[in-house]
Amino acid sequence: MFPSNSITLVNHASVLIKGLDKSILTDPWYWGDAFHKGWSLMHENESIEIDALLNEASFIWLSHEHPDHFSIPFFKRYKKKIQERGIKVIFQDTRDKRVRDFLQREDIFVQELAEGLVFNVEERFSISIVKDDFYDSALLVRIGDHKIFNLNDCHFPEETKIHTFKKRYGDCDVLLTQFSYAAWKGGRDNRPWREAAAHEKLEGLCWQAKILNAKIVIPFASFVRFSNEFNGYLNDAANRPRTVLAACNEGPYPFNAIFLSPMETILLDQLEHVKQDPASVSFWEQKFAEDFTTLKYEKSINLTELEQKFLAYCQRVEKNNSHLLMMIASKVPMLEIFNPVVVRLVDSDLALRLDIPKRSITRTKDMPDVALHSQSLAFIFENAFGFDTLTVNGNFEETSANGFARFTKNFAIENLNNLGYRLDFFLLFNFRLISIFLGRLWAVANKLRQHPSS
């Protein structure tokens, strides 16, 4: 069904890359919501298409742990077929081993691949992984004389980083890259930040294409919408295919950008002949314009349950980090880490003051820092990835100046733990990790200063 030496777009961040005989399927997410009822696909694949992909695939590569790339429902539903076909999952070598351990518990074979190590899929078909910042990774593919760079969600905020990447890995023939923002970008009234974020994505895409001398650019990994009643406004400035194509074709360095529709294939041996199919652009433009089912949190979590979940959360955090260092940090004025933070529950209009080092959760009449549903707060308490999920799905509102920063300085601790690091005195000497973390926090704070909510 799938021709040799080809790339087929499946959905969102998923493509099938086929060599002579063997194939790699990337980041399979084909139905359902993600990020705690925060995102939905614009298009869902039919079962017959998924079966055809798994009949073809020799390997599945996962770029990172986010559920729009590592879909647990997919592996649960298709576990038996993956086992019967002997499909192996390839994932970056990580400190925490959470993805590997989950898949192994499901009796799915996992091949961990160290950064830079070349893995031969078959003769004249090899891959390697490049890690990016905290947890993302890119896939570099060689098929015959062709090079494919799947940059996915990798963070290239400035031109210099792309030049650094090029010096190490060279040019590519095909570039697959994200084309719109994919996380919270300010509150309902902060459209200017989202417009700026959308422009930066387009600018970054064009710089990637120019600097890496890509013959073909396939924009992907952005075929989703914010679909909750609390975050639907975040779609208001998202880049659409025609906007992307105009930027690619009319900029100072025009290049060949191609939007593919689901299950559309291009041949690597005929790249110079690949042209944009207008029907594929129309397909996605229609999807962007369609009405969609709004997701909601149906059940509220009462205060007694939240208190229990908060206590369990504090115990988990203390188990994985130095409670003494947390207490010390909370006393340093210039850090403002682990200071009390106030949240307002939108479903009960109840304001709660949270103090993690003291394990204290109390009612308050103080000005809230953020507002969110009780289910979102409970999700953070219950899951080590809960705060990361909230920052992506955007199901909250910042309700005071620097409120989001204060919230982050309390709950981002488990982002470090998920990477296999604990907050202790040894971490103080990991300058690279600290600089990345503080840099991202500063970038968000700077955006909020540039584009304050009205």
Side-chain angles (χ1 to χ4, degrees):
M1 177 179 179
F2 300 92
S4 298
N5 298 329
S6 65
I7 302 174
T8 300
L9 176 73
V10 184
N11 202 338
H12 186 49
S14 183
V15 295
L16 183 77
I17 303 174
K18 184 171 181 180
L20 186 61
D21 294 308
K22 306 224 171 174
S23 303
I24 292 179
L25 182 65
T26 73
D27 291 337
W29 174 40
Y30 303 137
W31 73 88
D33 64 90
F35 294 109
H36 194 219
K37 293 188 175 181
W39 287 19
S40 296
L41 287 161
M42 291 186 172
H43 169 79
E44 295 192 347
N45 294 90
E46 300 290 340
S47 296
I48 190 171
E49 294 173 333
I50 301 172
D51 284 333
L53 290 166
L54 292 177
N55 286 335
E56 186 75 46
S58 314
F59 300 91
I60 296 173
W61 174 69
L62 304 174
S63 60
H64 58 292
E65 192 177 345
H66 277 170
D68 61 319
H69 301 265
F70 170 46
S71 170
I72 289 178
F74 168 81
F75 285 100
K76 291 279 190 181
R77 180 180 296 184
Y78 288 97
K79 174 175 69 173
K80 185 176 180 181
K81 190 173 183 71
I82 291 170
Q83 292 169 340
E84 290 174 346
R85 290 270 301 120
I87 300 171
K88 298 177 181 179
V89 175
I90 297 175
F91 191 63
Q92 57 181 300
D93 184 19
T94 60
R95 290 171 61 97
D96 63 276
K97 307 298 182 186
R98 295 198 312 162
V99 171
R100 184 204 67 179
D101 291 348
F102 169 83
L103 292 170
Q104 288 183 344
R105 286 195 298 271
E106 297 294 318
D107 293 322
I108 296 173
F109 183 88
V110 183
Q111 171 81 50
E112 288 187 296
L113 197 59
E115 182 175 28
L117 182 67
V118 175
F119 178 83
N120 292 311
V121 176
E122 64 179 3
E123 187 176 356
R124 304 199 74 203
F125 183 177
S126 64
I127 64 170
S128 60
I129 289 175
V130 178
K131 292 189 177 186
D132 180 65
D133 282 358
F134 283 135
Y135 44 71
D136 288 333
S137 68
L139 184 70
L140 311 187
V141 182
R142 283 185 176 270
I143 298 182
D145 298 325
H146 303 288
K147 290 172 65 177
I148 303 164
F149 288 176
N150 179 347
L151 298 189
N152 221 307
D153 293 359
C154 291
H155 189 55
F156 287 92
E158 66 276 323
E159 180 186 349
T160 54
K161 186 174 178 180
I162 309 171
H163 277 294
T164 300
F165 186 92
K166 177 192 172 72
K167 286 179 182 177
R168 185 168 182 181
Y169 304 108
D171 296 336
C172 67
D173 297 292
V174 180
L175 172 66
L176 296 117
T177 189
Q178 191 183 54
F179 65 88
S180 194
Y181 57 82
W184 180 73
K185 301 297 179 188
R188 293 179 183 274
D189 299 327
N190 207 340
R191 178 165 177 154
W193 183 3
R194 294 187 286 283
E195 291 175 340
H199 175 75
E200 287 171 7
K201 274 294 178 185
L202 283 183
E203 191 174 55
L205 184 152
C206 291
W207 276 118
Q208 290 170 31
K210 172 187 176 292
I211 294 170
L212 298 175
N213 290 315
K215 296 177 182 176
I216 297 286
V217 176
I218 301 176
F220 82 147
S222 299
F223 298 121
V224 292
R225 57 171 56 93
F226 296 91
S227 53
N228 196 283
E229 63 177 328
F230 295 113
N231 68 9
Y233 68 89
L234 289 167
N235 299 306
D236 60 5
N239 289 324
R240 296 191 175 191
R242 289 199 174 98
T243 304
V244 176
L245 291 175
C248 296
N249 296 328
E250 298 172 9
Y253 307 104
F255 54 88
N256 194 12
I258 302 292
F259 274 88
L260 301 177
S261 57
M263 308 307 288
E264 184 176 355
T265 300
I266 64 169
L267 302 177
L268 296 176
D269 295 330
Q270 298 181 19
L271 291 180
E272 65 275 14
H273 302 301
V274 174
K275 303 296 181 185
Q276 178 65 68
D277 185 347
S280 299
V281 179
S282 297
F283 174 88
W284 287 118
E285 285 287 343
Q286 181 179 345
K287 291 294 182 181
F288 272 87
E290 283 179 359
D291 292 332
F292 58 91
T293 301
T294 301
L295 304 175
K296 298 181 179 181
Y297 299 127
E298 303 294 344
K299 176 187 174 184
S300 291
I301 310 298
N302 63 46
L303 181 56
T304 300
E305 288 182 87
L306 287 173
E307 289 172 338
Q308 294 170 347
K309 293 177 189 298
F310 179 68
L311 177 59
Y313 169 84
C314 292
Q315 292 172 337
R316 185 175 72 238
V317 169
E318 290 174 16
K319 179 182 177 182
N320 295 319
N321 302 278
S322 168
H323 185 248
L324 175 61
L325 192 57
M326 292 169 61
M327 291 292 291
I328 294 173
S330 71
K331 304 298 183 183
V332 181
M334 63 180 295
L335 291 179
E336 296 183 335
I337 297 175
F338 300 118
N339 292 167
V341 62
V342 178
V343 301
R344 182 178 70 84
L345 304 180
V346 296
D347 45 324
S348 64
D349 204 28
L350 183 67
L352 300 175
R353 184 177 186 270
L354 308 176
D355 190 326
I356 295 173
K358 294 182 179 179
R359 297 187 183 179
S360 171
I361 175 171
T362 56
R363 296 190 186 197
T364 183
K365 293 184 179 179
D366 293 346
M367 169 76 71
D369 294 297
V370 297
L372 72 176
H373 196 280
S374 60
Q375 278 211 30
S376 290
L377 186 60
F379 192 81
I380 293 174
F381 294 161
E382 292 172 334
N383 300 282
F385 53 85
F387 174 73
D388 189 39
T389 295
L390 187 75
T391 62
V392 175
N393 71 24
N395 287 339
F396 70 96
E397 282 290 312
E398 183 182 54
T399 51
S400 68
N402 300 315
F404 176 70
R406 282 190 290 274
F407 194 70
T408 298
K409 289 178 179 180
N410 276 271
F411 290 101
I413 179 66
E414 289 203 297
N415 286 20
L416 292 175
N417 298 157
N418 293 341
L419 296 170
Y421 296 95
R422 54 181 279 119
L423 180 62
D424 55 24
F425 289 96
F426 294 104
L427 183 67
L428 300 179
F429 298 97
N430 193 327
F431 302 114
R432 177 182 175 274
L433 194 67
I434 292 173
S435 65
I436 292 174
F437 178 78
L438 293 179
R440 290 205 172 185
L441 182 61
W442 179 87
V444 171
N446 187 48
K447 290 295 184 184
L448 285 169
R449 287 192 294 270
Q450 291 176 6
H451 309 290
S453 297
S454 59

